[in-house]
Amino acid sequence: MKPSRHADVSIKKPKAHDDRVVLGLHKFRSIGKSKAYLYATIFDALQDAWRAGVKFDESHVEAICSYIIGSYTWRIDGALNEIIRLEIKDRLEKMIK
């Protein structure tokens, strides 16, 4: 059994705005856009996990999952932070009106 290396697992390259979302520099204008970004990011993570599962056998599942989770956690956290920010903004605007 050949050990798997992280370099053998393909992770989709981050798009230009992914880095800005992770750093909190990209602000979405609507909750719908931020949710769409979140769903697309989760879908990319699941696709990468599926491809890695097809490529390797069951003995490397934990290592592959850890690597994929580590690669996508910051993107998902950034999207969730944006959704929370927009929800708070909308609620404050409703209270002010």
Side-chain angles (χ1 to χ4, degrees), residues 11-96:
I11 300 291
K12 283 193 176 179
K13 287 188 175 184
K15 299 173 191 99
H17 67 282
D18 285 344
D19 294 332
R20 292 191 306 263
V21 169
V22 168
L23 295 172
L25 300 174
H26 182 78
K27 303 297 181 199
F28 289 99
R29 293 183 183 201
S30 70
I31 294 173
K33 292 278 187 185
S34 57
K35 284 183 180 179
Y37 174 81
L38 175 64
Y39 296 150
T41 303
I42 292 171
F43 183 75
D44 288 345
L46 291 174
Q47 273 189 327
D48 290 344
W50 178 261
R51 282 191 215 107
V54 169
K55 187 174 182 180
F56 300 104
D57 60 355
E58 291 179 10
S59 61
H60 303 294
V61 169
E62 289 179 17
I64 292 169
C65 290
S66 302
Y67 180 63
I68 289 174
I69 288 170
S71 298
Y72 282 97
T73 298
W74 294 106
R75 297 181 213 177
I76 292 170
D77 284 347
L80 288 173
N81 288 338
E82 273 298 293
I83 291 171
I84 292 168
R85 182 188 69 81
L86 290 168
E87 286 282 344
I88 292 170
K89 179 184 165 204
D90 286 348
R91 290 183 185 187
L92 286 174
E93 287 176 354
K94 287 179 184 176
M95 288 174 60
I96 291 171

